Amino acid sequence: MAHTDIRLAVAEERTIYDVAAIDRALDEAAGNRNEALAALYEKMKQRGGGRFLVRPSGPDMIDDLYDSCPNFAEVIDDLKKYIALSVAGNEPMSFTPILLLGEPGIGKTHFARELAARLGTGHEFVSMSALTAGWILSGASAQWNNAKPGKVAHTLVHGDFANPVVVLDEVDKAGGDSRYDPMGALYSLLEKDTARAFKDEFVDIDIDASHILWVTTANDERSIPEPILNRMNVYEVPRPDRDASLAIARTLYGEIVADHDWGFPPEADDAVLECLAALPPRDMKKRLLAAFGTAKLAGRNWLETRDFDQARTGRSRKIGF
């Protein structure tokens, strides 16, 4: 099944930073000029401080996620309520920050990406497990060598929307030097009142980050500070059961076939779907693509279960003597 056509209405333009504040900052820094910061300020002045706030077209705009991500039904149910309120009030898309909690491989990251695609406000994906310093989200002071803005300021300055989706993947694995807590910025960013005057350490100008749509994922909530958890709606996402796995497999097969002119039938045999459904959701797509290639090498325009036996992907084991 191909993705549905998503129609979004653009709400009013919202000012997220004051251009006059940039001129003042340039004057103050005239004697200690940072070329990278000056270039960013010029970019901000050129673009202006206005960004679009997008409002959804209707609660049914994410309905196809029930098919592609059936084990996220509780999350989808709640998001539809927020969308309904936005539509009723002719207001921009908004929802309480989300934490998707569950074991590895159940599709949390996939769901976050799919949701961002359907909301259509642009998105930034941040792998928190790769963070070793707190300034990744909130920037580093321009006084430091090689300093640059954080992900939040970068997304808002260079993007077109004031309410993009920012996906923080594996927030429970954020680590590094305890003096530079990677999650420290979230204390203010997840609260609308304080996020309205978010100050990136590099940009050093108030930016309205209160419209960002936050989606986070984690395997274990025990390492996440309680104040952060209290700012989010926490969903314990179950492992998909057999019926859910079959639904995911069927939807994924249909989407790939619809996106490519490879000559495969629009629906797969039940045995093929059973074979695909036995895989973890995170592995389904790469194994399915490899199986399509195996079938083509065999001169077939249909899949057989043996294609998955031959569809080896990932790192091969070295043979030693």
Side-chain angles (χ1 to χ4, degrees), residues 50-319:
R51 298 294 183 274
F52 291 118
L53 277 169
V54 172
R55 60 176 181 261
S57 57
D60 60 346
M61 64 184 291
I62 61 172
D63 277 0
D64 65 329
L65 290 178
Y66 284 117
D67 294 326
S68 60
C69 306
N71 50 325
F72 292 81
E74 181 185 1
V75 188
I76 301 168
D77 287 344
D78 280 358
L79 285 171
K80 284 168 66 75
K81 298 171 186 176
Y82 286 102
I83 294 174
L85 291 174
S86 295
V87 172
N90 197 27
E91 298 170 353
M93 183 66 209
S94 176
F95 54 77
T96 300
I98 291 172
L99 172 61
L100 304 175
L101 191 63
E103 64 186 73
I106 61 173
K108 300 186 299 293
T109 304
H110 172 73
F111 174 81
R113 290 185 186 275
E114 292 295 297
L115 174 64
R118 280 153 185 77
L119 296 180
T121 62
H123 78 282
E124 180 75 27
F125 188 88
V126 184
S127 177
M128 297 292 283
S129 63
L131 301 190
T132 56
W135 54 73
I136 298 297
L137 289 178
S138 57
S141 171
Q143 297 176 2
W144 293 88
N145 290 332
N146 301 318
K148 58 183 179 181
K151 293 287 189 179
V152 174
H154 180 273
T155 302
L156 293 172
V157 169
H158 296 282
D160 295 321
F161 304 105
N163 58 341
V165 175
V166 175
V167 180
L168 304 181
D169 196 38
E170 297 186 317
V171 292
D172 53 327
K173 295 183 180 178
D177 192 324
S178 59
R179 294 173 299 172
Y180 307 108
D181 180 8
M183 298 179 67
L186 291 180
Y187 289 97
S188 61
L189 284 168
L190 296 182
E191 290 282 3
K192 284 191 176 293
D193 289 343
T194 50
R196 288 190 180 95
F198 170 70
K199 184 167 286 189
D200 181 273
E201 293 292 332
F202 183 78
V203 180
D204 200 29
I205 289 173
D206 285 347
I207 297 177
D208 185 356
S210 64
H211 303 289
I212 289 176
L213 306 174
W214 295 97
V215 179
T216 68
T217 77
N219 298 332
D220 188 340
E221 81 277 21
R222 286 175 294 182
S223 64
I224 303 174
E226 193 67 28
I228 298 294
L229 289 174
N230 291 337
R231 288 164 166 81
M232 299 188 287
N233 282 340
V234 180
Y235 298 91
E236 294 193 20
V237 181
R239 179 188 300 181
D241 58 22
R242 177 181 176 276
D243 289 341
S245 293
L246 282 171
I248 295 171
R250 186 176 294 107
T251 300
L252 180 61
Y253 176 92
E255 288 179 347
I256 292 176
V257 168
D259 288 342
H260 301 279
D261 189 19
W262 292 339
F264 289 93
E267 295 183 3
D269 291 342
D270 289 344
V272 168
L273 292 178
E274 288 278 3
C275 190
L276 185 60
L279 300 169
R282 74 189 312 171
D283 294 335
M284 284 187 185
K285 185 172 184 178
K286 60 183 178 182
R287 292 290 296 275
L288 183 54
L289 288 172
F292 280 130
T294 299
K296 279 296 181 184
L297 287 174
R300 285 184 277 106
N301 287 338
W302 66 90
L303 292 185
E304 297 179 356
T305 56
R306 58 177 174 161
D307 295 329
F308 292 92
D309 296 333
Q310 300 172 34
R312 295 194 344 180
T313 59
R315 186 178 301 171
S316 59
R317 183 180 299 172
K318 291 184 178 180
I319 300 175

